Amino acid sequence: MARSDSFFSTISAKKPRPDGKPSLSVKERFSALKNLPEFLRLVWQTSPGLTLGNVALRLLRAALPVAMLYVAQLILDAVVQLSRQPAPERVLAPVLTLVALEFGLAVLSDALGRGVALLDSLLGDLFANQTSIRLMQHAAELDLDQFEDSAFYDKLERARRQTLSRTVLMSQVLSQAQDFITMGFLAVGLVAFNPWLLLLLLVAVVPAFLGESHFNERSYSLVHGWTPERRELDYLRQTGASDETAKEVKIFGLSGFLIDRFRTLSDEFYQQNKSLVIKRAGWGTFFAAVGAAGYYAAYVYILSQTVRGQVSIGQLTFLAGSFARMRGLLEGILSRFSAVAEGALYLQDFFDFFHLQPRIVRQELTGERPIPFPRPIKQGFTFEGVGFKYRNAEKWALRNLSFELQAGEKLALVGENGAGKTTLVKLLSRLYDPTEGRILLDGHDLREYDPQELRQEIGVIFQDFVRFQLPAGQNLAVGRIEEKDNQPRIEQAAQQSLADSVIAKLPQGYEQMIGRRFNGGVDLSGGEWQKIALGRAYMRDAQLLILDEPTAALDARAEYEVFQRFKELTRGKTAVLISHRFSTVRMADRILVIENGQFQEIGSHEQLLARSGRYAELFRLQAAGYQ
């Protein structure tokens, strides 16, 4: 066999993993087990009662194999002894008693096994549910810019996969402990007969363990390194067969392009995995033969001792059965150890996600108490030399931005796409913190307020608002979810945003599921969805309202009606409006013009037209399109 294909050359050398990192050594795989105590602590916290019950049943079941082998030994020795006695003196009652005892142990073993399986299932379901909840809770605490980083998404994807698959690890770890206890009982008998049998057992099994351990690591490396590509495969699969993309896929003839890309990636993964599983099967067959040879060598030795009269037929059964059972247990323990070590490696991905910490936190978490949010806002917001750069970006999204948003003022943001308007409102609502400069609210830095309290006083409807696959009433209640059971308030918000006319057409009204993802769902047009989203702003009843292109999907009549009501919505409130329609922005008290992330000018519609600056230029360009 060529050196490059040798198992021992691959296990001794640190080959690079598919993700470009060096392959993990056996020592590093052992070090991955440091994750297990924290994992078991999470299992215990899930349900102490179920965990204790599971451990107790496994302890009882661990002692049964040696007990059953010992009873079998007694039965055979008793039968042999009876067979040597004259027929009139043979009494079967003691043998039948032993058989009844063995039967009882067999029934008890089966019952305990079913009990363990039941508790594993219940505990596993609870653990999967609680870890999924914990993942969602932690994701909600992280910063928005973390979600805009591809490396973060890789960690999130790996953590998501672990919430379900780690329930298997829980059962494996508990089974490992159970088998160790069983081996301890069986080892006592073998050591008493001949300690060298244990050494022969290890020589027969350990090479197979090293082989499985090596290939488990290679499998982990392959899956870990392919995380970005697997996300792309999921995206391609969804894009190629989705109601949200069907129109564009058909019109632009994208099906072939998407299928070819999917086929290329999936075939590449298949070929890498194929090579790995073929090598694993070959080496696994070889090491299985080594293990079988060790077992039969021990079996022949025990037979020879029996023929010489040094052990009885019953002892032969006990020793042969103990050796066979210990070999099976040891193989299971070692192969399961590889699986546990692999699971611990994946578990590291799970914990890595929870080690991510947000930078935008309540000040009391950093040693200072946040100041109360002003109710009402008295002075307003002040931007002082604010600049912001996205993570891993070279270009500034905003730079040297200084202006005031006074309390009760209606401010419109104008600029071409990519000018930084949406970034500005995300800074205002503290979804981001400035990279440089600061934002003040009533003379205090925004960072001095509790972020959650701040956001409760801000209502934002983004241009790319989420189309929640929820009933219509809940879709509106998203604006203030704690009011989801306040039907009069929901209906009032729908009336104010014109969403009531949309809901009136739905078969089940406010209870109608919106979206096609679930059975019975009804999809809406873009304009109808936008009215639902606007209803969330009315539900919010916040001091600061931010509307990012709120009427982009509405027709002219609906837009006019929305803005007539928008005036009512923002009466006595501070508002920020982003729109490309100058017929919309001119209703604002002042208009801020941004270009390439830089402050250009600010003033009322009339003032900016009189200056003949960038705003006047953009206004005249748009007006010319209507002539």
Side-chain angles (χ1 to χ4, degrees), residues 107-389:
V107 172
L108 178 60
S109 178
D110 179 75
L112 290 175
R114 293 179 185 277
V116 166
L118 172 63
L119 294 184
D120 275 357
S121 176
L122 296 176
L123 191 56
D125 288 345
L126 282 177
F127 181 78
N129 292 342
Q130 292 197 14
T131 51
S132 295
I133 291 171
R134 186 184 173 201
L135 184 143
M136 289 188 288
Q137 289 173 334
H138 188 69
E141 295 172 357
L142 297 176
D143 298 334
L144 179 62
D145 66 331
Q146 290 174 288
F147 284 87
E148 297 166 340
D149 179 23
S150 61
F152 166 83
Y153 256 106
D154 288 343
K155 289 184 178 181
L156 176 59
E157 179 65 19
R158 288 193 286 267
R160 280 174 177 163
R161 294 180 185 275
Q162 301 322 307
T163 56
L164 297 177
S165 58
R166 290 316 94 204
T167 59
V168 177
L169 177 62
M170 177 197 69
S171 180
Q172 289 173 333
V173 171
L174 294 175
S175 296
Q176 201 80 326
Q178 175 184 327
D179 287 352
F180 267 118
I181 296 172
T182 302
M183 280 189 60
F185 286 120
L186 294 172
V188 172
L190 288 180
V191 169
F193 175 68
N194 192 328
W196 289 102
L197 288 178
L198 289 180
L199 180 61
L200 180 60
L201 187 66
L202 291 174
V203 171
V205 173
V206 167
F209 160 69
L210 293 176
E212 284 298 312
S213 179
H214 167 74
F215 285 109
N216 278 337
E217 183 279 322
R218 294 294 300 276
S219 177
Y220 167 80
S221 297
L222 179 63
V223 173
H224 185 282
W226 268 76
T227 299
E229 289 81 1
R230 288 171 69 186
R231 285 201 295 113
E232 184 176 353
L233 284 171
D234 289 342
Y235 173 75
L236 291 169
R237 188 184 296 111
Q238 176 68 20
T239 303
S242 169
D243 61 329
E244 297 177 356
T245 59
K247 297 189 297 295
E248 284 80 356
V249 168
K250 287 182 178 296
I251 289 175
F252 296 119
L254 299 179
S255 179
F257 165 76
L258 296 172
I259 291 172
D260 287 344
R261 177 60 180 162
F262 184 91
R263 183 183 292 114
T264 299
L265 281 176
S266 59
D267 285 350
E268 186 179 347
F269 181 81
Y270 170 77
Q271 292 301 328
Q272 292 189 29
N273 191 55
K274 175 184 175 182
S275 174
L276 180 63
V277 296
I278 289 175
K279 290 181 179 180
R280 185 172 196 162
W283 283 108
T285 301
F286 172 74
F287 288 124
V290 172
Y295 166 71
Y296 281 100
Y299 190 44
V300 168
Y301 174 76
I302 298 171
L303 284 174
S304 67
Q305 296 296 95
T306 305
V307 170
R308 293 172 185 169
Q310 295 181 2
V311 298
S312 68
I313 296 297
Q315 289 175 318
L316 166 66
T317 303
F318 178 84
L319 291 171
S322 294
F323 191 88
R325 178 63 70 91
M326 281 196 68
R327 176 189 171 228
L329 287 172
L330 188 56
E331 284 183 342
I333 285 173
L334 293 179
S335 64
R336 195 186 298 121
F337 171 81
S338 296
V340 168
E342 180 185 6
L345 287 171
Y346 287 109
L347 198 63
Q348 185 63 50
D349 297 326
F350 181 74
F351 289 134
D352 280 348
F353 175 75
F354 288 102
H355 290 157
L356 295 173
Q357 295 298 321
R359 293 182 301 277
I360 301 177
V361 296
R362 294 177 57 173
Q363 287 215 351
E364 64 182 37
L365 299 179
T366 61
E368 301 178 26
R369 292 187 61 82
I371 63 175
F373 193 89
R375 295 183 179 84
I377 296 174
K378 298 180 177 63
Q379 301 172 23
F381 296 84
T382 303
F383 281 62
E384 293 184 349
V386 170
F388 180 78
K389 182 189 290 186

Side-chain angles (χ1 to χ4, degrees), residues 498 531 551-552 554-564 579 581 583-584:
L498 304 180
K531 291 178 181 178
T551 60
L554 300 180
D555 56 49
R557 179 182 295 277
E559 180 187 17
Y560 174 79
E561 293 178 357
V562 163
F563 275 103
Q564 290 302 311
S579 179
R581 300 185 184 183
S583 59
T584 298

Side-chain angles (χ1 to χ4, degrees), residues 252-557:
F252 296 119
L254 299 179
S255 179
F257 165 76
L258 296 172
I259 291 172
D260 287 344
R261 177 60 180 162
F262 184 91
R263 183 183 292 114
T264 299
L265 281 176
S266 59
D267 285 350
E268 186 179 347
F269 181 81
Y270 170 77
Q271 292 301 328
Q272 292 189 29
N273 191 55
K274 175 184 175 182
S275 174
L276 180 63
V277 296
I278 289 175
K279 290 181 179 180
R280 185 172 196 162
W283 283 108
T285 301
F286 172 74
F287 288 124
V290 172
Y295 166 71
Y296 281 100
Y299 190 44
V300 168
Y301 174 76
I302 298 171
L303 284 174
S304 67
Q305 296 296 95
T306 305
V307 170
R308 293 172 185 169
Q310 295 181 2
V311 298
S312 68
I313 296 297
Q315 289 175 318
L316 166 66
T317 303
F318 178 84
L319 291 171
S322 294
F323 191 88
R325 178 63 70 91
M326 281 196 68
R327 176 189 171 228
L329 287 172
L330 188 56
E331 284 183 342
I333 285 173
L334 293 179
S335 64
R336 195 186 298 121
F337 171 81
S338 296
V340 168
E342 180 185 6
L345 287 171
Y346 287 109
L347 198 63
Q348 185 63 50
D349 297 326
F350 181 74
F351 289 134
D352 280 348
F353 175 75
F354 288 102
H355 290 157
L356 295 173
Q357 295 298 321
R359 293 182 301 277
I360 301 177
V361 296
R362 294 177 57 173
Q363 287 215 351
E364 64 182 37
L365 299 179
T366 61
E368 301 178 26
R369 292 187 61 82
I371 63 175
F373 193 89
R375 295 183 179 84
I377 296 174
K378 298 180 177 63
Q379 301 172 23
F381 296 84
T382 303
F383 281 62
E384 293 184 349
V386 170
F388 180 78
K389 182 189 290 186
Y390 284 96
R391 185 178 297 192
N392 301 324
E394 296 182 2
K395 183 182 177 181
W396 288 82
L398 292 171
R399 198 75 191 273
N400 301 322
L401 200 60
S402 298
F403 70 94
E404 292 184 2
L405 172 60
Q406 300 168 3
E409 182 180 25
K410 314 300 183 290
L411 179 70
L413 302 182
V414 171
E416 296 179 343
N417 290 334
K421 303 184 297 296
T422 300
T423 301
L424 188 153
V425 301
K426 289 178 179 177
L427 288 168
L428 193 59
S429 52
R430 212 184 166 205
L431 293 173
Y432 302 145
D433 272 341
T435 308
E436 63 180 19
R438 61 177 185 164
I439 304 172
L440 305 179
L441 170 59
D442 280 3
H444 294 277
D445 194 307
L446 278 188
R447 284 170 280 215
E448 297 182 44
Y449 297 97
D450 180 347
Q452 291 300 110
E453 192 177 3
L454 169 69
R455 291 167 192 157
Q456 287 176 357
E457 296 296 331
I458 299 177
V460 186
I461 300 299
F462 290 108
Q463 183 177 2
D464 55 348
F465 60 86
V466 178
R467 303 183 179 194
F468 291 102
Q469 307 285 309
L470 295 170
Q474 292 183 16
N475 251 293
L476 288 161
V478 162
R480 189 167 289 276
I481 197 62
E482 60 269 23
E483 296 290 336
K484 64 182 184 299
D485 297 322
N486 189 342
Q487 190 62 26
R489 182 166 180 170
I490 292 174
E491 292 179 4
Q492 181 182 12
Q495 182 181 11
Q496 291 172 321
S497 66
L498 304 180
D500 57 340
S501 60
V502 176
I503 296 172
K505 302 175 186 177
L506 301 177
Q508 299 178 42
Y510 288 91
E511 300 300 319
Q512 176 67 53
M513 181 67 69
I514 303 179
R516 295 289 190 184
R517 177 165 297 184
F518 303 109
N519 288 337
V522 175
D523 205 2
L524 305 179
S525 68
E528 290 172 330
W529 268 113
Q530 200 147 31
K531 291 178 181 178
I532 295 290
L534 282 169
R536 298 169 190 167
Y538 284 92
M539 282 291 298
R540 192 69 173 167
D541 191 25
Q543 293 195 67
L544 171 63
L545 290 172
I546 302 173
L547 301 184
D548 186 351
E549 292 287 350
T551 60
L554 300 180
D555 56 49
R557 179 182 295 277

Side-chain angles (χ1 to χ4, degrees), residues 543-599:
Q543 293 195 67
L544 171 63
L545 290 172
I546 302 173
L547 301 184
D548 186 351
E549 292 287 350
T551 60
L554 300 180
D555 56 49
R557 179 182 295 277
E559 180 187 17
Y560 174 79
E561 293 178 357
V562 163
F563 275 103
Q564 290 302 311
R565 302 192 182 207
F566 177 71
K567 293 178 181 178
E568 301 174 8
L569 173 65
T570 59
R571 184 174 292 117
K573 300 178 185 293
T574 307
V576 176
L577 174 65
I578 300 176
S579 179
H580 288 289
R581 300 185 184 183
F582 287 89
S583 59
T584 298
V585 301
R586 65 188 301 172
M587 65 168 287
D589 300 321
R590 288 193 302 163
I591 301 166
L592 171 62
V593 182
I594 304 174
E595 188 169 8
N596 296 323
Q598 301 278 340
F599 174 91

